[in-house]
Amino acid sequence: MSTVPSEATSTTDEPLSNILDYPGADIILRSQDSHHLRVPKIFIIHNSPVLDELVRQTLESLDSPGDANVEAPLPVVQLPESGKILHYLFTFILPLFPTIPPTHEETMELLSVAQKYQMDTVLVHIRSIARQNPLPTQLEPALHIYALAQKYGLRSEALQTARTILKQ
């Protein structure tokens, strides 16, 4: 994971869109598909020790003496996840309506990202909302969900899906 300057110098660095432009934003999180999420860093650092460290590293690398009268652009932290999944994730930590992706596959990816960034409260919240959408009971889709849970290291979901499969 690397940092990039917040002002793009080529067309490939231009954001596809600001998919989240939260009031009072003081940092930009840039997804692997070049979407920008402008957020207040306070929400990020209080909800994830991993993202806290990435933000600190970014700010330290950008800290350079300069003209104090020149307004610096917002720092940018590059993240390896898609903008879509990051947007879903941040609905759980910002004062927004929490949103679950429409597919089981994306929900598994969302859970995986929350787990990766050590967002334990967010994991609990995602799981409680996701349980409102029951897992498939047919064998083939259940096996697919099980494989995804194993791929992402989601033990709880793998166990729950295995129970569903064994009931077949």
Side-chain angles (χ1 to χ4, degrees):
M1 288 177 252
S2 64
T3 60
V4 295
S6 62
E7 288 190 352
T9 56
S10 73
T11 56
T12 58
D13 289 339
E14 293 294 326
L16 292 174
S17 66
N18 285 328
I19 58 173
L20 182 59
D21 196 1
Y22 199 83
D26 54 0
I27 194 159
I28 297 173
L29 301 174
R30 185 171 188 249
S31 67
Q32 56 93 357
D33 52 356
S34 299
H35 291 288
H36 285 184
L37 297 98
R38 298 168 56 92
V39 296
K41 70 179 171 241
I42 192 79
F43 289 106
I44 304 304
I45 63 176
H46 283 306
N47 284 284
S48 169
V50 175
L51 289 175
D52 178 24
E53 182 59 30
L54 285 172
V55 168
R56 287 178 195 274
Q57 289 173 0
T58 299
L59 295 176
E60 286 172 8
S61 71
L62 295 176
D63 231 2
S64 60
D67 186 356
N69 296 328
V70 175
E71 189 173 320
L74 295 181
V76 177
V77 177
Q78 179 70 43
L79 299 176
E81 290 78 28
S82 74
K84 185 177 186 179
I85 293 298
L86 289 171
H87 184 268
Y88 285 122
L89 180 67
F90 295 139
T91 67
F92 284 89
I93 64 170
L94 295 168
L96 299 169
F97 186 76
T99 309
I100 294 287
T103 67
H104 289 295
E105 291 83 359
E106 290 175 321
T107 301
M108 292 291 168
E109 185 178 357
L110 176 62
L111 285 164
S112 168
V113 172
Q115 182 173 277
K116 170 185 171 182
Y117 291 131
Q118 299 175 9
M119 302 170 103
D120 298 334
T121 345
V122 172
L123 273 168
V124 170
H125 198 178
I126 294 170
R127 284 179 171 136
S128 70
I129 293 175
R131 285 195 179 106
Q132 297 171 7
N133 300 324
L135 291 171
T137 55
Q138 297 166 329
L139 185 58
E140 190 172 324
L143 286 171
H144 179 67
I145 298 298
Y146 179 78
L148 287 170
Q150 290 287 51
K151 172 186 173 184
Y152 290 126
L154 302 168
R155 295 186 64 184
S156 174
E157 286 71 20
L159 182 59
Q160 182 181 1
T161 308
R163 289 182 182 134
T164 301
I165 293 168
L166 291 174
K167 290 179 184 178
Q168 297 285 327

